[in-house]
Amino acid sequence: MIQPNLRFKGRSAAVLAILALSLVVVGCAARKQITRIPTDTTTDLSGRWNDTDSREVSDEMIRDCLSGSWIVQHAASTGKRPVAIVGRIQNQTLEHIPTGTFVADLERAMVNSGKVDVVATATERGALRAEKEDQWANASEDTAKRMGLERGADYMLMGTVQSIEDQEGGTKVVFYQVDMTMVDIESNQKVWIGQKKIKKEIRQAHYAP
Amino acid sequence: MRSSGRRPFLWIALALITILGAGCATYGAGVQPMLDRLQAGDPQGALAHLEKRPREGDALYQLERGMLLRLAGRFRESNAAFDAADRITEDLYTRSVSRQTVALAVTDRLAPYRPAVYERLLTHQYQARNYLDIADLAGALVEARRMEALLDQFEDARGDRSRPYGSELAYLTSAVIYEAGGQPEDALRMYRRLAARPQESVLPAWAETRMRRLARQTGFDLSHGGGADSSATRSAAEDSSTFTVVLFIDRGLVPLRQEARLDVPILKSEEHDKPETIAPKIGERIGGIRAHELDFSGAEIAYWLAIALPFYSAAPPDPGPIRIDAEGVGVDATRTADIFGMAACALEDDMPGIVLRTVLRALIKYGAQHAAEKHGGELGGILANMLGAATEQAETRAWATLPRDIVMIALDLPRPVRSVQLTPRGSDGLEGAQAIPLVFPAGSRFAFASRRIWP
């Protein structure tokens, strides 16, 4: 028989067996705990784009957009509040980023500020026009809303979300840049440009107990 | 005293034998009922079978689930499962020392499943196709970028670029998605990167045509490293007048990994060798036994180590080309991705590590049996031996719901169509023509369709 070099103490074998059994037992245990937390809490779990990033972008964009000179200049030249529409916000990152969250925040802030009017987006317009057509077919004449009276936007909000990722071993750096632009639909002139940059470092240990 | 001292070990050994012995011998045996339902055209039933034993934290479970949800037409849920698999895989960068130790001592199958490179690329390929199936081109574009990022990562890391790991399919899928998304420079970059790979004729004819067209559209000179542009006389108007149909046809099921059980002898002359001396000998011996080159009939054997190793049976035959017809245009499309070839290569690449771990494990179990014999008597030795044999399982895990191969083609048509006709070719010629409806992402001149067929 092979002698001491390959031998294990009885205790070692038992420890190995206990370890294996523990794994099997631990694998069967499943627990879930749900706690409600404030929506402005910063929660970074996976390092991917999350609600905190979205909130930071909307806070920055709202502050910058509503304090921009373009609103005052438009009012001065036309005597009216500017009318804006949300155009395409392109996600050019490696993540599925729901741009609708911070764009909706920005839309809400513009409307609630009373400084900018916002009209429905191209997608929303389709549903509204279908509803108007339906009203003309089914609603009473005095309540059916007329076609062709939509308010045309003066400006279109466009934007991109881009990211740069760099990784070495267990360290990953992700840089996000959100650029938003308000463009004069008639002249193509860019009247406001907002930008928000976010940088994250995600460290992952190579070994854990 | 002696009897009470050995009792805990005996009980633990018995419990482990019971628990581990109740499991299936191979991963394939466990998922076979699920695959049977899938092949019978019941992905929902296959999914129900899989979900009987949910393992949310297991990447392989999420991959199988993602594929079954996709085949059941639940594309968003499928992508959520694939996303979960991706997150789990990323988190596996951190290795649990305790779990790795136990896996080394008991069986590789106790270690968390780490998807192979080809499986990781295919995850994003299927996610992209899920988005295309719901006409979400923006979502598909994210997956195209993810595939490109993974390709960058893997190509940097891999020395031998000629080994198949699904890069061709990833390049082509990303390229057509970039094209459909109005990103011609990005599409051209993907075609060019594929064309520049070391293998010859790796770029399908349809892809070469598209690459040359994109080069003309973007003003890129392919003659520098891309060969002379023989069709440069075609007009830009002709280039933009077509409607493109992109088809992905998945065929069959990738063969399952099998388990080979070997008894490897330790000779009497090696009884006193140290583990580091004997381990390489056992490794060589395993190779010799598998190749039927070793004969131990005259040798004095001290001990037989029970070893289990994964292997694939011989490659299944190529089902041949598929006939695709639409608007008077007909082509014979051939295999774009040989999934079985990728799986076999991945196993081959992993085999040195698998053999090393198997040898170390065999030696640990051998040592444990000796210790059990000494402290637990003959019964202890027998139980330890049984435990060793029961827990010795080959690493037969691999994504089992993948197809045998994938045919991908981009077909230019003179005008938009609602569907294309697909006719797999059997050994007796054409058989089983079927119409495939197309999905039209908004604002694109591209239409997409996917189909799983069972040759």
Side-chain angles (χ1 to χ4, degrees):
Chain A
M1 286 302 202
I2 291 179
Q3 290 300 314
N5 288 327
L6 294 177
R7 286 195 177 178
F8 280 64
K9 299 279 185 196
R11 191 176 295 168
S12 307
V15 166
L16 278 176
I18 289 165
L19 261 174
L21 188 61
S22 309
L23 265 183
V24 173
V25 173
V26 167
C28 298
R31 286 183 182 183
K32 188 183 272 185
Q33 190 179 353
I34 298 160
T35 311
R36 286 181 186 266
I37 53 174
T39 53
D40 59 354
T41 313
T42 300
T43 44
D44 284 317
L45 301 175
S46 65
R48 296 185 183 194
W49 181 273
N50 62 17
D51 66 309
T52 306
D53 301 312
S54 179
R55 193 175 61 246
E56 282 184 16
V57 169
S58 59
D59 287 350
E60 174 87 18
M61 293 295 176
I62 288 167
R63 195 168 42 244
D64 199 39
C65 180
L66 293 181
S67 61
S69 59
W70 67 282
I71 299 173
V72 179
Q73 282 173 1
H74 181 89
S77 62
T78 65
K80 295 176 185 171
R81 284 195 300 264
V83 181
I85 185 169
V86 175
R88 192 176 178 196
I89 311 293
Q90 268 189 300
N91 170 20
Q92 296 174 352
T93 71
L94 295 172
E95 294 174 55
H96 295 280
I97 293 178
T99 54
T101 51
F102 58 82
V103 171
D105 282 346
L106 186 54
E107 266 189 304
R108 180 181 51 79
M110 284 195 285
V111 171
N112 292 351
S113 72
K115 294 178 181 173
V116 183
D117 290 339
V118 180
V119 294
T121 64
T123 316
E124 292 165 339
R125 276 201 310 264
L128 290 167
R129 285 171 188 167
E131 173 60 23
K132 273 187 274 195
E133 280 174 18
D134 188 73
Q135 284 187 4
W136 277 102
N138 300 298
S140 62
E141 204 172 318
D142 56 325
T143 59
K145 301 299 174 286
R146 288 172 293 168
M147 308 287 273
L149 292 178
E150 291 173 14
R151 194 163 174 202
D154 304 308
Y155 301 95
M156 180 178 272
L157 183 70
M158 304 164 89
T160 56
V161 187
Q162 299 179 81
S163 70
I164 301 169
E165 290 190 10
D166 194 16
Q167 183 164 12
E168 180 62 45
T171 305
K172 181 170 156 181
V173 174
V174 188
F175 173 78
Y176 299 101
Q177 181 168 320
V178 182
D179 291 293
M180 298 187 84
T181 311
M182 194 69 82
V183 184
D184 186 320
I185 292 175
E186 205 162 71
S187 68
N188 289 349
Q189 186 188 350
K190 294 182 178 180
V191 295
W192 169 78
I193 297 176
Q195 191 175 70
K196 174 68 182 170
K197 295 175 180 176
I198 296 170
K199 192 171 181 177
K200 295 184 193 177
E201 186 182 67
I202 304 136
R203 286 179 182 273
Q204 199 174 350
H206 198 33
Y207 293 102
Chain B
M1 283 297 287
R2 184 177 167 82
S3 117
S4 64
R6 74 190 186 209
R7 196 166 290 156
F9 169 73
L10 297 183
W11 280 113
I12 289 164
L14 271 172
L16 269 175
I17 291 166
T18 311
I19 290 165
L20 295 166
C24 289
T26 64
Y27 177 73
V31 296
Q32 193 57 57
M34 173 186 85
L35 299 177
D36 290 342
R37 289 183 197 187
L38 181 60
Q39 279 186 289
D42 179 17
Q44 201 67 51
L47 184 64
H49 186 274
L50 178 77
E51 289 177 340
K52 274 183 195 168
R53 290 184 62 205
R55 304 182 310 277
E56 300 294 335
D58 176 14
L60 184 55
Y61 171 80
Q62 297 291 1
L63 291 176
E64 307 287 19
R65 192 163 167 269
M67 180 64 86
L68 294 176
L69 284 164
R70 169 177 166 70
L71 293 171
R74 295 159 63 180
F75 301 115
R76 290 180 203 279
E77 291 169 83
S78 168
N79 272 345
F82 285 136
D83 261 338
D86 199 39
R87 274 198 302 276
I88 293 164
T89 306
E90 278 183 9
D91 289 347
L92 286 176
Y93 177 81
T94 303
R95 291 171 185 265
S96 160
V97 174
S98 56
R99 197 154 180 187
Q100 296 289 334
T101 307
V102 173
L104 181 64
V106 183
T107 167
D108 276 354
R109 284 172 62 182
L110 283 180
Y113 184 75
R114 290 173 188 277
V117 171
Y118 78 95
E119 291 173 329
R120 292 193 64 190
L121 280 171
L122 283 169
T123 305
H124 294 297
Q125 213 257 352
Y126 281 109
Q127 283 188 280
R129 284 164 65 180
N130 278 338
Y131 282 111
L132 292 173
D133 281 328
I134 52 174
D136 181 352
L137 194 51
L141 278 164
V142 171
E143 295 306 327
R145 284 191 286 272
R146 283 178 165 183
M147 273 188 275
E148 187 176 358
L150 274 184
L151 285 166
D152 289 344
Q153 188 185 324
F154 295 148
E155 300 238 310
D156 285 348
R158 287 175 80 91
D160 182 3
R161 293 185 178 192
S162 63
R163 304 279 286 169
Y165 65 98
S167 58
E168 291 88 347
L169 185 67
Y171 277 120
L172 293 172
T173 307
S174 300
V176 293
I177 292 171
Y178 284 145
E179 268 194 85
Q183 297 176 208
E185 288 86 1
D186 294 327
L188 178 60
R189 183 178 66 249
M190 298 309 278
Y191 286 127
R192 285 180 51 234
R193 283 181 64 176
L194 179 55
R197 282 173 58 82
Q199 303 99 313
E200 289 180 10
S201 309
V202 75
L203 198 64
W206 61 264
E208 175 135 15
T209 305
R210 304 197 77 81
M211 180 177 74
R212 295 193 178 285
R213 182 188 304 164
L214 286 168
R216 282 196 300 276
Q217 285 173 358
T218 56
F220 185 86
D221 184 3
L222 280 178
S223 58
H224 296 292
D229 190 350
S230 57
S231 53
T233 52
R234 290 179 60 180
S235 69
E238 186 186 355
D239 286 343
S240 60
S241 64
T242 51
F243 169 77
T244 304
V245 171
V246 181
L247 294 173
F248 299 95
I249 314 296
D250 293 359
R251 299 192 289 189
L253 275 173
V254 68
L256 297 166
R257 280 188 185 184
Q258 312 286 312
E259 181 178 83
R261 287 194 164 265
L262 309 174
D263 287 318
V264 181
I266 292 180
L267 306 181
K268 284 207 178 249
S269 58
E270 296 163 340
E271 276 182 329
H272 302 287
D273 286 359
K274 290 182 177 175
E276 59 267 31
T277 314
I278 202 166
K281 290 182 190 172
I282 297 171
E284 285 171 22
R285 213 160 280 169
I286 289 170
I289 293 170
R290 290 172 74 206
H292 306 288
E293 288 169 352
L294 293 180
D295 180 12
F296 296 97
S297 50
E300 284 192 276
I301 309 296
Y303 186 79
W304 291 92
L305 292 177
I307 278 172
L309 289 171
F311 74 101
Y312 279 108
S313 301
D318 183 348
I322 295 175
R323 179 78 181 168
I324 293 159
D325 294 284
E327 275 293 304
V329 176
V331 289
D332 281 334
T334 53
R335 168 187 291 168
T336 309
D338 176 6
I339 308 293
F340 172 73
M342 294 173 202
C345 268
L347 178 57
E348 210 172 285
D349 291 346
D350 287 347
M351 199 46 103
I354 291 174
V355 169
L356 178 65
R357 289 194 299 275
T358 305
V359 168
L360 289 173
R361 185 160 47 246
L363 292 173
I364 289 169
K365 287 176 178 175
Y366 173 62
Q369 188 204 341
H370 271 284
E373 242 171 29
K374 187 177 173 188
H375 296 276
E378 196 178 341
L379 179 61
I382 291 168
L383 280 173
N385 204 6
M386 284 172 67
L387 179 63
T391 56
E392 187 54 35
Q393 294 174 325
E395 172 54 294
T396 47
R397 292 175 297 176
W399 190 355
T401 46
L402 280 175
R404 159 72 181 88
D405 64 11
I406 299 174
V407 176
M408 176 191 172
I409 190 165
L411 197 61
D412 284 339
L413 300 176
R415 66 187 71 85
V417 292
R418 307 303 306 175
S419 66
V420 294
Q421 182 155 306
L422 179 146
T423 316
R425 283 182 188 273
S427 54
D428 301 329
L430 298 177
E431 57 181 38
Q434 45 189 297
I436 306 183
L438 303 174
V439 178
F440 298 81
S444 174
R445 289 186 300 107
F446 282 65
F448 295 86
S450 282
R451 180 61 62 96
R452 183 79 172 252
I453 61 172
W454 306 98

